[in-house]
Amino acid sequence: MTATTSPARWSLRAAAGPLATAAAVGATALALHLRDPHQQGSWGVCPLYAVTGLYCPGCGGLRAINDITNGSFGAALGSNALVYPAAAIVVWLWIGWLGRKVGFRVPSLPTNTYLWVTVGVLIAVWTVARNLPGSPLAP
């Protein structure tokens, strides 16, 4: 670092990756707000659903983001119940990434194997339950 370069510039330069990622996520959310994924075919179809007729854990995620950008937080939960826990984990990881780049520490995600196996099993059970005939969990 030279005498003419301020530490703030280095921090901004260091944060370029996380900030660019946040901008890309924001642009995607804006696109989902402007082009409603509730309209069939507006964003294509889920490849798994197109081939098998089964809903994947992410099915309804685009609609959930659209619901959130419209302020319909309950409807987002109905579109895909995983949207809030997934968003919390993604935001936590993003803040940790930003922190490593600019110099603050964020606790890492828990690494307990039993916790993540349990999360995986719950997602699998939820995925099966949403594919049962007449399930209210279907997107």
Side-chain angles (χ1 to χ4, degrees):
M1 183 163 62
T2 64
T4 59
T5 306
S6 71
R9 285 198 180 158
W10 281 99
S11 294
L12 186 57
R13 184 174 295 153
L19 293 177
T21 300
V25 169
T28 302
L30 177 62
L32 287 167
H33 176 75
L34 296 174
R35 186 170 180 175
D36 188 358
H38 291 92
Q39 310 242 340
Q40 189 170 359
S42 65
W43 287 92
V45 295
C46 172
L48 179 70
Y49 184 77
V51 172
T52 66
L54 297 173
Y55 299 118
C56 72
C59 279
L62 299 181
R63 291 185 294 273
I65 300 301
N66 174 267
D67 292 334
I68 289 169
T69 63
N70 286 315
S72 301
F73 302 107
L77 192 61
S79 291
N80 188 319
L82 293 180
V83 69
Y84 294 118
I89 290 171
V90 168
V91 167
W92 188 345
L93 291 171
W94 181 84
I95 291 171
W97 180 28
L98 179 65
R100 284 188 302 279
K101 295 294 185 179
V102 299
F104 63 86
R105 185 156 163 39
V106 173
S108 60
L109 287 173
T111 57
N112 183 310
T113 304
Y114 296 111
L115 169 68
W116 292 109
V117 168
T118 302
V119 168
V121 167
L122 289 172
I123 290 171
V125 167
W126 180 74
T127 302
V128 169
R130 73 190 316 217
N131 281 290
L132 295 173
S135 174
L137 301 175

